[in-house]
Amino acid sequence: MVGVAGRSKGCHTCRQRKIRCDLQQPECARCMKSNRTCGGYQRAIVFKDESTKLARRAHVTSTAVVDPQHAVRAQLFSVFLNDHLPVAEKHHASQREPMSWVQIILDFADPGKALSSALSALSMARLGRVNQDRTVSMQGQRLYAQALSELQKALWDQSQMFRDETLAACKALETYELLECSDDRIDAWMVHGTGMARLVQLRGVNRHTSDLGRQLFIRFRDVEIIQCLSMRRSTFLADPEWSSIPWGNGPKTTDDQLLDLMAKMPAIFEEADSIPAMHPRDAVLARLSLMNRCWDLQAEFERWYEQAQPSTPEYWSVFATISNPTDDPVLGKVFPTALYFPSLRLAIRYLYYWTSIILVQSTIRITWFALEGAEIDYSKPPHPAEKRCRDCSTAGLTFCSCGRESNSIRFDMSKVRTPPDHEALAEPARNIARSVEYCSQPEQGNLGAIAVVFPLRAATECFQHRPYPEEHEKGNRPHQWCQAALEAISVTRHLPFSSRIRRTAWGYRPSIGSGKQKNPCSCPGSLAYESGDGD
């Protein structure tokens, strides 16, 4: 099992001198008084082989064999679970649908080499980071390299490639990069996510209808959607078959329905990014169409929200207790109150909803202003009204521009729906910022901190482009608050990903398989998420 060497609570220096330590932190008074360097209070992590004790407890007969390495791996993973899951989830995990993929793999009878290695790497690396033990962290990195090798073998083995255990191993390594960030950017996390998406596609939609397969697929969906939103590229999850077949005839949860809507957004962003390269005439038509799609999606989110809202409030305000560098003795806290929720599950639901509203409404605003500033050719008179097609009429065009006539365009901006103002975007952004305190509490585990990072990144972007003339001398405090909160999560929750994503631009896509990675363990771009027979 995992333990801490020694029982004395004194600093290392006082223990070596065999004298009583006053336990003052960060340095004890005895060491400072004697001009000695205080060795600190961090204890080395040790591993105890308790396989014999475990066997006695389980009443193992003389013919059974207990694998000591398996016992150690089980203990390591138990420590990881304790750090990863919210307290409430650990107490009631058997009474509800799994919240994390780590709960699903407990049902695997034979995890296989790839998944076992990946879990060991993940658990060891996390243990080393939380305890700031470089030796343990390095061991986690070596296990990570081994896990990559085992996963590569499984991906090229037709008997293993499509097993649920192999997909779970991909998920474990993606989580490793999410928690550890083995490089200075988020490339490796994105590469694993892209590879996992490719494997899910190769498995086919029908392989995700079993209990384990469906649960793995559900836990994969939010990562795929978040990555595609970040990279602004469409996802296959928006296809009707992928939003229906895995559930069969069973009902979808409220959260499933929300992710169905979120899966539609990346394609809109990808289309928006392609418009600037178009001919001006085509760009105007594309932007008008894009705005209509955004408004339709906005309406779908609003309908979802109305149906999801219960009769009693699912979150409430309390006075904020967390500190932030932007707190000012005169102006006070940027966000004086925080939002609390009955559970982390509900917190994530609303964080995803508020993030979606920010992203959709931001796209509407950007598209509207691009239309307002478009250069239009008024050289030709409009066609008679009876010759206008229905689409062009409803879009605000004064004549049909479907391609039958010239490249000139004439349209009336007054007929184009006015976009939401900055305040409409700021409200969900404020809600996200006010949720940070709840999600970053230690009792919410790693899941709570991870859940708030991407929404907080969206809120940061929203505040960055919102004018604050009344606070010019102090700068844009809400934007600064969100940036500082991302850095704080990185430090206090031992989550470097939070700091990395703050510095990553929207639309950033890593170079997959480009050979630029110096360390093969730092970014697994060489992994082949393809079928072994080349299909």
Side-chain angles (χ1 to χ4, degrees), residues 401-415:
S401 302
C402 298
R404 297 196 301 266
E405 301 297 335
S406 72
N407 286 332
S408 64
I409 272 189
R410 183 188 296 272
F411 73 100
D412 186 356
M413 276 298 294
S414 66
K415 293 184 179 180

Side-chain angles (χ1 to χ4, degrees), residues 180-187 190 230 453-454 456-458 460-461 464 479 482-491 495-509:
E180 296 303 311
C181 278
S182 57
D183 57 11
D184 291 332
R185 296 178 296 185
I186 60 174
D187 292 36
M190 285 186 163
S230 299
V453 167
F454 179 74
L456 188 57
R457 175 67 176 83
T460 304
E461 192 80 6
Q464 182 178 4
H479 175 248
C482 290
Q483 287 188 311
L486 285 169
E487 289 295 334
I489 292 173
S490 175
V491 175
L495 192 64
F497 176 82
S498 178
S499 176
R500 304 290 195 276
I501 199 171
R502 182 183 72 82
R503 302 194 298 266
T504 303
W506 288 110
Y508 172 74
R509 300 183 186 182

Side-chain angles (χ1 to χ4, degrees), residues 174-288:
E174 175 266 326
T175 304
Y176 177 99
E177 288 297 345
L178 180 66
L179 295 175
E180 296 303 311
C181 278
S182 57
D183 57 11
D184 291 332
R185 296 178 296 185
I186 60 174
D187 292 36
W189 173 68
M190 285 186 163
V191 169
H192 274 302
T194 302
M196 191 163 53
R198 179 59 179 150
L199 180 57
V200 168
Q201 287 180 285
L202 288 172
R203 280 163 55 99
V205 67
N206 291 315
R207 289 184 184 270
H208 303 94
T209 56
S210 65
D211 288 342
L212 283 176
R214 181 173 59 255
Q215 289 299 332
L216 279 173
F217 173 72
I218 291 173
R219 301 281 75 81
F220 152 79
R221 280 217 307 169
D222 57 351
V223 175
E224 164 69 1
I225 291 171
I226 286 174
Q227 286 205 356
C228 288
L229 287 172
S230 299
M231 293 188 282
R232 299 177 68 85
R233 64 167 173 78
S234 59
T235 171
F236 66 95
L237 294 180
D239 297 344
E241 61 176 2
W242 287 100
S243 60
S244 58
I245 294 178
W247 288 267
N249 296 323
K252 281 188 173 183
T253 66
T254 302
D255 298 327
D256 291 333
Q257 295 167 4
L258 176 60
L259 287 174
D260 286 345
L261 297 179
M262 292 179 68
K264 299 178 181 180
M265 292 194 295
I268 290 178
F269 300 155
E270 185 174 54
E271 180 180 339
D273 291 343
S274 69
I275 291 177
M278 295 181 180
H279 185 280
R281 172 184 174 279
D282 296 329
V284 169
L285 294 175
R287 288 190 172 106
L288 288 169

